[in-house]
Every structure is written in C-alpha cells, then in structure tokens.
Amino acid sequence: MKILIIEDEPQVVEFLVKGLTEKGYETIVAYDGQMGERLVLKGEFDFIILDVILPFINGHELCKRIRERGLQVPILMLTALGTTDDKVSGFDAGADDYLVKPFEFAELLSRIKALTKRTSGMIYTSKVIKMADLTLDLNKKAATRGDKSIDLTGKEFELLEFLMKNAGRVLSRVEIAEKVWDITFETGTNVVDVYISILRKKIDRDFDEKLIHTKVGLGYYIDKS
C-alpha cells in the first residue's frame, strides 16, 4: 500500500517512515502543503497522513482541496491540537480520522487498518465511485448497476453519493439530514427513511445482492452483503 505523509517535523517523519516501512508500506514524504498538493494530484495513493500545521497550505485547507477534486482517498489528520473544535474542523474539511500528537505507533497502525478496511470494497477515481456492480459518475450525474441505468432525482443522487463516499460506515438520520438536506433533523420527520426506501427500490430491488443496509436504532449504510 502506498502512503503519502505530509508532515514538516523531521523527527515525526523519521518515526513514521521507519515504522510504516517495517510494516511493508511504501511511503512518500512531502514537507509542506504545496508539495503535498502536487504529489496528491500527480500520484495515486492508498492513504494520506496529513499534519494540520504546515508551511504554505495548512492541513485543513489542503484536505478541502483534495475533497473538492473528488478524491476520496482515506485521510488521517495528525495534530497537536486536540480540542473538540479542532477535531470538528478536521472532519468538516473532509478528514476520515484524527490522531492527536504525541501518539503510539500501534494506535496509528490500528487507525490505518480500520480506515483501509472500511474502504477496501470501494474503487475511487476523481470522477467515479464504484462498489460491487454499482457505479456513480460524478461528472455525468449518472448511476448504473450492472448494465442497468438508474434514474435518480437530484436529491436521490446526493444521498447515494453521500452513502457511497462513506461506504461501510453507519450514518445516523441526523447526519444524513444535515449533510444531504442541510437541515436540522427532527424526530417527527421521516424524509430520510422515505428517500432510503426509494433508493432501495431503485438500487436493490432487482438484484440478488443488496447494498443498502439498516443498522436498527442507529441508521443506514451501504456495503457489500
């Protein structure tokens, strides 16, 4: 697996490169945000370890730029700032996980394994998301499953895109409502359940393998059966 490390502290870089190399990972290092951005756009990486405080382009801004380009490579943020607000800022920028310095290498390794396992069923390019035989073309705003074209409304497409970009992760009704509809979820509202039901009919009904799943009392997620 090819990991991009974007970090400006030499001791941290040495620690990461040594540990990850010993575990069989290929590592590439960028020492500032600009170099990191260039490498992200030029190369295909399986994982990114991204420091928050960087020269030229900080980690939050770089993470946003990566996501704006449609790249869904897992991103783990490293920072000495461990407040709730700092973590929320990281997640809002598009990070998948957050690790506060100083940290144990075993903890870092555990996070990497968890994130790559969660996304192992997904194939990402900058414009297409694919799971099993379900394909979402972000440019054309088109969905297909197998040889069948799936007709989706704008909001149905947004919901499916959100599910697929978070494949394997259970998403609560609150989170879905906030991210897809940009509204505060109210317990009397069943809009999320209605749209999930519509997607199931369009995505799963005519296929043996069901991709949209319910975790009772917690929410919904998309994954291979």
Side-chain angles (χ1 to χ4, degrees), residues 45-56:
F45 295 94
D46 302 295
F47 200 90
I48 295 175
I49 296 174
L50 176 61
D51 189 23
V52 170
I53 301 174
L54 291 167
F56 305 121

Side-chain angles (χ1 to χ4, degrees), residues 4-29:
L4 175 61
I5 301 168
I6 308 175
E7 167 66 66
D8 67 330
E9 295 182 40
Q11 288 183 329
V12 177
V13 171
E14 182 181 1
F15 170 72
L16 291 173
V17 170
K18 182 176 184 295
L20 291 171
T21 302
E22 288 177 353
K23 292 298 181 179
Y25 296 105
E26 178 185 355
T27 59
I28 304 292
V29 178

Side-chain angles (χ1 to χ4, degrees), residues 105-169:
F105 182 74
E107 174 68 10
L108 172 72
L109 202 60
S110 175
R111 302 287 185 95
I112 292 173
K113 289 179 178 178
L115 285 173
T116 52
K117 181 179 179 181
R118 192 182 86 194
T119 58
S120 62
M122 300 292 291
I123 298 174
Y124 290 113
T125 70
S126 60
K127 303 300 178 185
V128 174
I129 308 175
K130 182 175 175 64
M131 157 152 305
D133 56 350
L134 175 62
T135 301
L136 209 59
D137 189 314
L138 303 182
N139 256 354
K140 298 178 180 178
K141 300 296 181 184
T144 56
R145 183 157 188 196
D147 297 327
K148 180 183 176 183
S149 177
I150 301 168
D151 185 26
L152 299 175
T153 66
K155 195 56 68 177
E156 290 164 7
F157 187 92
E158 287 182 43
L159 175 57
L160 182 58
E161 179 182 352
F162 184 58
L163 290 171
M164 291 183 72
K165 284 183 175 179
N166 290 276
R169 184 163 76 89

Side-chain angles (χ1 to χ4, degrees), residues 5-87:
I5 301 168
I6 308 175
E7 167 66 66
D8 67 330
E9 295 182 40
Q11 288 183 329
V12 177
V13 171
E14 182 181 1
F15 170 72
L16 291 173
V17 170
K18 182 176 184 295
L20 291 171
T21 302
E22 288 177 353
K23 292 298 181 179
Y25 296 105
E26 178 185 355
T27 59
I28 304 292
V29 178
Y31 290 93
D32 61 62
Q34 284 184 352
M35 183 189 301
E37 184 175 32
R38 287 196 297 270
L39 288 173
V40 170
L41 299 180
K42 284 182 179 179
E44 294 183 0
F45 295 94
D46 302 295
F47 200 90
I48 295 175
I49 296 174
L50 176 61
D51 189 23
V52 170
I53 301 174
L54 291 167
F56 305 121
I57 303 173
N58 68 49
H60 289 158
E61 177 61 27
L62 180 53
C63 190
K64 287 179 183 178
R65 294 186 187 187
I66 292 170
R67 295 306 188 218
E68 285 170 356
R69 289 180 175 270
L71 299 172
Q72 295 304 315
V73 55
I75 297 176
L76 173 66
M77 279 195 156
L78 300 180
T79 185
L81 308 173
T83 68
T84 299
D85 286 344
D86 292 322
K87 293 179 181 179

Side-chain angles (χ1 to χ4, degrees), residues 195-207:
Y195 270 81
I196 288 289
S197 178
I198 292 171
L199 276 188
R200 277 195 167 124
K201 290 176 182 177
K202 294 185 175 184
I203 301 298
D204 283 341
R205 183 172 56 186
D206 298 330
F207 296 87

